[in-house]
Amino acid sequence: MVINQLTFTRFVAAISIVFFHFAISNPIWPLYLPSFRYLVEFIQVGNLSVLYFFVLSGFILTISATSSEEKINKREFYRKRFARIYPIYFISFILSVIFSTNYSAWDYFLNTTLLNGWVWNSNNLNPAAWSLSAEVFFYIVFPFIVPIICTLTNRALITALFVNSIALYFLQVNYNGFYLPKYLPTPIETVLNFSLGIIGGNIFIRFQSLFSRHARIMAVLFVTSIILFCVSILYYHYTWFDGFWLLSIVFLLFIISLSALPKNWFLPRLLSKPMLVKLGDISFSIFILQFPIMHMYDAFLARGRFIIGNTVHFYTYLLILIITSFMTYTFIENPLRRKINNYRKKKKKYTLEAA
C-alpha cells in the first residue's frame, strides 16, 4: 500500500530541520522581519520534525509489512533497510571524515557501525546521524514487535495506544531532579515514538473502510491536528524537552487523518504530484547530508576567500543540498533498491524452476 500524500511531508520535515540547524543562529531573510516572528517560532522547534520521522517510519513500515498476508522475512527486511539507508549514510560519513579533525578511532568505529546513538559524545562527527542510529535499532526490533501488535484485538490495540501515550508522558516527567532520558541511551528513549507509529499503522489498516466512509470527520481531525500543533508551539511553547510526548500523538493524528483523506480530494491530489513526491523521496538524503554539505560549502568559500551575507550563504547552500540529494537518490539509493528487488525476484524464479 502506497500513501503518496504522506511522501511530501517528509520533505517539509527535512527542510524544517535544516532551517533549525543553520538559519536560526544566523538570521536570514525574511526571518528577521517582525511580520515573520511566528514562522521563527516554528523553526526554533524544527528538531521536533525528527519525532515526526520516527512516528511516520513506524506507521509506513507497518502499512507495508501488514498489507501483505506473507510473514515478514527478516533477512529480506534487513537487506532492504540496509540498502535504503546505509549507502547514503556512508557517503555522509566519508565526507564528514574528510572535513573533520580531532576524532578518535573509537568515534569513527561507532559512526561507521551506526552505534553512535548509544554513545552521545560521538555524534559530533555528523550531528544528524544520532537519529539514524535510533532508526537502525528500531529496524532490528521491528520484525519482532509487529507480529505481537497485529495479534491484538481492536480493544487491546486502542488500549495499547493510550498506554504508549501515557508512557511517553512519564518519560518526560522530571522526578525531583531525576530525568529518565538523561540515563537512557537515545535509541531506547525514542523507541516509544516508533511503537506509536506501529500502533497507528495497525489502527489505520483495521479501520480504513470506516475512515473512508467518514471522510469529512477525518478532514476535521486533520485540521484539528494542525491546530493542536500550532497551539502547542505558539501558545504553550512546547519544545523537544518540554511536551514532545503530546506532539508525537498530534503527529500520529496528522498522519492517520491525512492518509485517510480520499485520493480524489484536492489536497491528496496536490500532494501526489510527481514533483512533490520526488522531493519527499530525497528527504532522507537532505537530512543525512546537511552537515557534510555545509562543511564542504564553507571550506570552498574559505579557500576562495569568498565573503557573502547570511541570506545568500544559506539559500545557496540549501539549493546545493537539494540538488546533491536528488543526485544521490537518483544514481545511488534508487538503483540499489531496484537491484535488490530484482535479485529477490530472480531468486524466487530460480527456486520455482528448481522445484
Side-chain angles (χ1 to χ4, degrees):
M1 182 186 299
V2 178
I3 308 176
N4 284 329
Q5 56 259 46
L6 288 177
T7 306
F8 181 66
T9 66
R10 292 162 48 193
F11 175 78
V12 175
I15 292 299
S16 70
I17 294 171
V18 174
F19 269 82
F20 168 79
H21 284 142
F22 302 111
I24 290 298
S25 56
N26 299 300
I28 62 170
W29 184 90
L31 301 183
Y32 52 72
L33 299 177
S35 55
F36 284 84
R37 64 185 184 279
Y38 294 119
L39 178 60
V40 172
E41 292 196 42
F42 284 107
I43 294 176
Q44 286 175 336
V45 293
N47 58 339
L48 289 169
S49 294
V50 178
L51 299 179
Y52 177 77
F53 279 133
F54 290 163
V55 178
L56 181 63
S57 181
F59 181 86
I60 293 297
L61 283 178
T62 301
I63 295 293
S64 300
T66 58
S67 59
S68 172
E69 294 182 357
E70 295 182 7
K71 184 179 179 181
I72 297 177
N73 185 317
K74 296 183 180 64
R75 180 178 298 180
E76 180 181 333
F77 175 80
Y78 294 144
R79 186 169 60 241
K80 284 186 175 182
R81 292 297 93 199
F82 176 86
R84 172 70 177 87
I85 66 172
Y86 199 80
I88 304 302
Y89 169 73
F90 189 71
I91 291 174
S92 75
F93 170 75
I94 295 299
L95 294 175
S96 298
V97 170
I98 293 174
F99 293 93
S100 64
T101 57
N102 300 324
Y103 288 97
S104 66
W106 177 240
D107 291 326
Y108 291 139
F109 170 77
L110 291 173
N111 281 269
T112 304
T113 56
L114 282 171
L115 294 173
N116 48 298
W118 299 85
V119 183
W120 187 254
N121 292 336
S122 67
N123 285 294
N124 292 329
L125 189 64
N126 183 351
W130 71 265
S131 61
L132 197 55
S133 183
E135 191 94 16
V136 168
F137 175 68
F138 168 63
Y139 291 159
I140 293 173
V141 300
F142 177 82
F144 301 95
I145 297 177
V146 167
I148 297 175
I149 295 180
C150 287
T151 59
L152 297 177
T153 64
N154 290 343
R155 180 177 296 181
L157 187 64
I158 300 301
T159 301
L161 175 65
F162 283 103
V163 170
N164 198 125
S165 303
I166 293 172
L168 274 170
Y169 168 73
F170 282 108
L171 182 66
Q172 282 295 289
V173 174
N174 191 317
Y175 304 93
N176 295 322
F178 177 78
Y179 187 60
L180 188 58
K182 182 179 179 181
Y183 304 96
L184 281 177
T186 301
I188 300 294
E189 178 191 347
T190 57
V191 75
L192 285 174
N193 292 280
F194 289 114
S195 61
L196 191 68
I198 294 176
I199 294 170
N202 273 277
I203 290 175
F204 179 77
I205 291 174
R206 297 188 190 188
F207 299 101
Q208 187 177 6
S209 59
L210 178 64
F211 295 156
S212 299
R213 293 197 302 270
H214 298 87
R216 292 184 178 180
I217 294 178
M218 300 311 296
V220 171
L221 292 176
F222 173 71
V223 174
T224 300
S225 68
I226 296 176
I227 293 174
L228 287 174
F229 179 73
C230 292
V231 170
S232 300
I233 302 304
L234 298 178
Y235 184 77
Y236 289 103
H237 302 290
Y238 281 157
T239 66
W240 180 286
F241 298 103
D242 181 17
F244 83 63
W245 58 274
L246 171 64
L247 292 171
S248 295
I249 300 167
V250 172
F251 288 151
L252 181 62
L253 178 62
F254 174 88
I255 291 167
I256 292 178
S257 57
L258 178 58
S259 302
L261 296 182
K263 292 184 178 180
N264 61 342
W265 282 19
F266 172 75
L267 183 59
R269 283 192 292 112
L270 175 64
L271 295 178
S272 298
K273 295 290 184 182
M275 178 58 71
L276 298 186
V277 172
K278 176 65 72 173
L279 289 174
D281 287 336
I282 68 174
S283 60
F284 172 66
S285 291
I286 289 175
F287 175 76
I288 204 62
L289 291 174
Q290 58 180 301
F291 282 97
I293 295 299
M294 177 59 85
H295 295 327
M296 291 178 61
Y297 179 48
D298 285 342
F300 170 77
L301 293 178
R303 177 170 295 184
R305 298 182 180 179
F306 297 111
I307 300 176
I308 56 179
N310 290 338
T311 297
V312 175
H313 178 274
F314 175 77
Y315 287 115
T316 303
Y317 152 75
L318 185 61
L319 179 61
I320 294 172
L321 176 62
I322 292 174
I323 293 174
T324 304
S325 299
F326 176 81
M327 299 293 286
T328 54
Y329 175 81
T330 303
F331 297 108
I332 298 177
E333 181 181 333
N334 206 31
L336 184 56
R337 188 182 304 167
R338 287 201 302 267
K339 286 183 179 180
I340 290 177
N341 288 335
N342 290 335
Y343 170 80
R344 178 198 177 198
K345 291 177 182 178
K346 289 180 180 179
K347 188 175 181 180
K348 280 189 173 182
K349 180 181 177 181
Y350 293 149
T351 302
L352 290 173
E353 289 178 351

